[in-house]
């Protein structure tokens, strides 16, 4: 497989000084793989936002490309404008633009209701300064009225000026291929990069997947459950399943991969090694 396959890696902002130190070590290991960029998630209406800024600027200070996630839910236009200015002045060139999800108890829904409105706002405020990534859902967003509505919502983000998309993670190859074909039929030509979730702990993944609408296929679930507490077998089987999925996606022409690192180096490195994505020189 070509070492030219572009890939990116996602982090969440660490909560503590210890977490920040661990993330620095993780990042140093992952930077050796030469990803295209590191993205950093952002909590809508939450207290972690300042940590996103800190992490983004720290990555940038290390000479690596940092792509902040930015959500619009719960925010005013003025607040969003202020963040865009901050990033623009700091020389950030890429943003992952999202609607986000409001934490329970946060009342103000915000002035921009959906991600397409955020993309439009970014373009109006900052022209072509940012490369804008948006989210895509091969298994459809859990709140979508229908698959067709979700597809049209995705198209609105593209029409508003998104350059590229990153998908929610999935383990059904056919869902991605079908979604890509549907996008083709609608004349959507931007790259749709599969989001890849390494499998480290199956029980955690199962809980998380329920919430975000990603399906864990029955055959996988039964095999993982049969491993019980045998974490070595879970990791080994998880690596087999996910690396095979990535290889098939790339063989099918996926334009790159985006790894949800969960702030750990080893699972992403193991996948990249299996896929031949580790730089040789
Ligand atoms: P949208 O594209 O706005 O879609 C949200 C829902 O609204 C969909 O069901 C869509 O079909 C529907 N919809 C869109 N337009 C309309 C309309 N006009 N009328 C009615 N319905 C409509 N969350 C975070 O909080 N922080 C992060 O950093 C973060 N990073 C992410 C990164 C990736 C790659 C992905 C895939 C998701 C990420 N998320 C993050 C989760 C994301 O915020 C949630 O999935 C959220 O619920 C939807 O965001 P969106 O940008 O896809 O929204």
């Amino acid at each position: 497989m070509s070492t030219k396959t572009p890939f990116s890696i996602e982090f969440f902002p660490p909560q503590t000084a210890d977490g920040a130190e661990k993330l620095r070590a993780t990042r140093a290991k992952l930077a050796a793989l030469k990803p295209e960029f590191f993205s950093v998630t952002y909590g809508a209406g939450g207290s972690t936002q300042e940590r996103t800024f800190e992490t983004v600027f720290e990555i940038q200070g290390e000479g690596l490309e940092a792509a902040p996630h930015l959500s619009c839910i719960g925010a005013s236009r003025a607040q969003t404008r202020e963040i865009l200015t901050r990033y623009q002045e700091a020389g950030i060139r890429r943003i992952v633009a999202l609607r986000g999800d409001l934490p329970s108890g946060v009342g103000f829904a915000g002035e921009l209701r959906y991600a397409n409105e955020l993309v439009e706002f970014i373009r109006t405020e900052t022209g072509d300064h940012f490369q804008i990534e948006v989210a895509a859902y091969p298994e459809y967003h859990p709140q979508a009225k229908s698959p067709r509505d979700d597809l049209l919502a995705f198209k609105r983000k593209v029409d508003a000026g998104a350059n590229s998309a990153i998908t929610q993670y999935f383990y059904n190859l056919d869902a991605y291929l079908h979604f890509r074909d549907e996008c083709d039929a609608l004349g959507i030509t931007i790259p749709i990069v599969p989001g890849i979730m390494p499998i480290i702990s199956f029980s955690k993944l199962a809980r998380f997947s329920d919430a975000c609408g990603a399906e864990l296929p029955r055959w996988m679930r039964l095999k993982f459950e049969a491993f019980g507490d045998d974490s070595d077998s879970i990791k080994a089987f998880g690596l087999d399943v996910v690396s095979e999925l990535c290889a098939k996606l790339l063989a099918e022409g996926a334009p790159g991969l985006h790894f949800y690192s969960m702030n750990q180096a080893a699972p992403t490195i193991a996948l990249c090694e299996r896929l031949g994505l580790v730089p040789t020189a």
Side-chain angles (χ1 to χ4, degrees), residues 162-178:
N163 301 100
S164 184
I166 301 169
T167 75
Q168 181 59 278
Y169 68 88
F170 57 88
Y171 298 103
N172 290 309
L173 172 71
D174 286 345
Y176 173 83
L177 299 179
H178 180 74

Side-chain angles (χ1 to χ4, degrees), residues 136 138 154 164-167 176 179-180 183 188 190-194 254-256:
F154 178 60
S164 184
I166 301 169
T167 75
Y176 173 83
F179 182 77
R180 187 182 64 177
C183 288
I188 295 171
I190 65 165
I192 300 171
V193 176

Side-chain angles (χ1 to χ4, degrees), residues 42-246:
Y42 181 76
S47 56
T48 63
Q49 295 178 348
E50 204 50 49
R51 297 199 194 100
T52 297
F53 304 137
E54 284 165 15
T55 310
V56 163
F57 294 132
E58 199 176 309
I59 294 172
Q60 196 194 25
E62 291 165 358
L64 305 165
E65 182 176 347
H69 294 208
L70 178 63
S71 58
C72 58
I73 204 163
S76 66
R77 283 189 178 80
Q79 285 168 326
T80 302
R81 181 178 296 117
E82 201 182 306
I83 296 170
L84 289 172
T85 305
R86 196 166 166 186
Y87 284 142
Q88 193 169 14
E89 287 178 358
I92 297 291
R93 299 307 301 256
R94 190 190 297 263
I95 278 184
V96 184
L98 305 144
R99 183 197 69 175
D101 294 305
L102 270 188
S104 56
V106 175
F108 177 54
E111 290 180 343
L112 302 166
R113 290 169 313 156
Y114 294 104
N116 66 299
E117 295 175 18
L118 175 62
V119 175
E120 202 180 317
F121 185 74
I122 298 173
R123 286 286 175 242
T124 307
E125 294 287 319
T126 62
D128 287 334
H129 178 82
F130 293 108
Q131 156 99 15
I132 303 179
E133 313 273 340
V134 289
Y137 300 86
E139 296 180 315
Y140 305 112
H141 186 266
Q143 292 159 3
K145 264 193 257 154
S146 71
R148 184 76 187 163
D149 281 312
D150 209 31
L151 194 63
L152 294 177
F154 178 60
K155 186 172 188 305
R156 278 197 292 276
K157 298 194 268 196
V158 177
D159 293 343
N163 301 100
S164 184
I166 301 169
T167 75
Q168 181 59 278
Y169 68 88
F170 57 88
Y171 298 103
N172 290 309
L173 172 71
D174 286 345
Y176 173 83
L177 299 179
H178 180 74
F179 182 77
R180 187 182 64 177
D181 291 348
E182 296 233 277
C183 288
D184 273 353
L186 279 180
I188 295 171
T189 55
I190 65 165
I192 300 171
V193 176
I196 303 299
M197 181 68 85
I199 301 175
I200 309 158
S201 150
F202 186 69
S203 49
K204 267 193 213 149
L205 181 70
R207 275 198 303 276
F208 194 51
S209 301
D210 276 350
C212 65
E215 190 196 45
L216 295 176
R218 175 182 159 84
W219 68 274
M220 272 176 56
R221 187 167 49 79
L222 291 178
K223 281 207 67 159
F224 277 114
E225 281 168 2
F227 290 129
D229 293 335
D230 178 357
S231 61
D232 287 346
S233 298
I234 290 173
K235 277 186 202 153
F237 181 60
L239 179 59
D240 286 347
V241 167
V242 180
S243 58
E244 208 169 296
L245 172 69
C246 294

